Amino acid sequence: MRVLVIGASRGIGREFVVQYLAERAQVTATARRPQDVAELEALGASAFQLDVSDAVSASGLAWRVDNAGFDLAIVTAGVYGPHTAGLDPPTEADFDAVMHTNVLGAMRVLPQLADALAPGARLAVLSSRMGSIGLRSARTGWLYRASKAALNSVLKDVSLAFAKGSEGAPSWPLAICVALHPGWVQTEMGGAGAELTPERSVADMRRTLAGLTPAQTGAFLNHDGAVLAW
Ligand SMILES: NC(=O)c1ccc[n+]([C@@H]2O[C@H](COP(=O)([O-])OP(=O)(O)OC[C@H]3O[C@@H](n4cnc5c(N)ncnc54)[C@H](OP(=O)(O)O)[C@@H]3O)[C@@H](O)[C@H]2O)c1
């Protein structure tokens, strides 16, 4: 099994690397800082530097992974931005930082994966239940929520594009594409008081990813596989 994890320096992305390596997958992982690349290599992954919010850095992905034949690609890179409680307008700098990482970053890297995936591969973006409009009952972190709602839209378009394939394409999707909510997880973003350990969240998501069927492409799923409202 060949796995790609984009945004693996820490938190959920790093835990995906650890768990897939433990099941003897060939793991390729990315991080922004050289010391994090070195640490991923020390774990046993192939690793290279990638900053999804940097146009030049992100554009280098395709040649790095051309024809890699990944069975699974996961984009975990993400930032929360300002911890707002109400309708505080974000600064332009905060807006750009969050949207460039969570939305533009995905729009940059996902199309570059088309030639790097094995037939019938799985592709996941780490979204958030906070991005769900249908389930929304609070308005904390409205910039983050808006970014994850936009990421969900991006994932849906990618699932449609990757389902079509080229002329003479097989009847299965090029990739089964899903947006995943990892739960509320004990990472730098989730905080120490979060409900789930990264180990548990990632174990759940691995099980969910392994059980995906082609009919599920374009879905928004909880870590345990339950369908979430957009
Ligand atoms: N933790 C939760 O409760 C929770 C809940 C719902 C959704 N999520 C989502 O799950 C994903 C992972 O979250 P986490 O909890 O593991 O967060 P985290 O501990 O804060 O880690 C975030 C990761 O994203 C990377 N990253 C940030 N900006 C990047 C960029 N421009 N280019 C490449 N990588 C970048 C970070 O790299 P650096 O070390 O270089 O900064 C780090 O590896 C995020 O998309 C998050 O929105 C998390």
Side-chain angles (χ1 to χ4, degrees):
M1 169 133 160
R2 295 191 167 96
V3 179
L4 172 68
V5 185
I6 294 180
S9 63
R10 54 193 165 91
I12 293 167
R14 187 180 187 281
E15 183 61 26
F16 269 119
V17 172
V18 168
Q19 293 196 19
Y20 280 117
L21 283 172
E23 69 172 40
R24 301 190 175 280
Q26 284 179 37
V27 180
T28 303
T30 79
R32 288 195 285 187
R33 286 178 299 267
Q35 61 268 37
D36 294 324
V37 169
E39 202 199 318
L40 289 164
E41 285 171 337
L43 287 174
S46 303
F48 58 89
Q49 268 180 280
L50 180 66
D51 182 338
V52 302
S53 62
D54 180 293
V56 174
S57 173
S59 69
L61 177 62
W63 72 265
R64 289 274 197 176
V65 298
D66 194 29
N67 287 319
F70 294 119
D71 303 291
L72 171 65
I74 310 169
V75 179
T76 64
V79 292
Y80 189 89
H83 288 257
T84 52
L87 304 184
D88 317 316
T91 64
E92 269 187 53
D94 281 340
F95 184 88
D96 287 351
V98 173
M99 289 295 186
H100 285 187
T101 305
N102 296 0
V103 189
L104 181 57
M107 295 173 98
R108 281 176 172 146
V109 302
L110 294 173
Q112 295 183 66
L113 296 179
D115 293 331
L117 299 172
R122 283 105 215 271
L123 186 156
V125 296
L126 267 284
S127 179
S128 171
R129 198 178 189 278
M130 286 182 73
S132 169
I133 295 172
L135 298 171
R136 196 161 308 176
S137 57
R139 58 203 157 79
T140 49
W142 72 327
L143 175 55
Y144 178 75
R145 289 178 187 278
S147 76
K148 292 298 188 181
L151 175 63
N152 284 350
S153 172
V154 167
L155 182 279
K156 193 75 184 187
D157 285 335
V158 169
S159 76
L160 295 173
F162 282 16
K164 265 194 197 128
S166 52
E167 214 176 309
S171 54
W172 61 82
L174 171 62
I176 305 170
C177 305
V178 291
L180 287 177
H181 170 57
W184 182 26
V185 187
Q186 294 157 15
T187 62
E188 276 183 47
M189 185 184 293
E195 284 168 358
L196 296 178
T197 62
E199 291 82 359
R200 169 69 199 282
S201 167
V202 168
D204 281 0
M205 289 189 284
R206 283 174 48 230
R207 205 173 307 114
T208 295
L209 287 164
L212 287 177
T213 64
Q216 287 177 288
T217 197
F220 181 22
L221 301 176
N222 199 30
H223 54 96
D224 61 6
V227 174
L228 295 174
W230 291 110

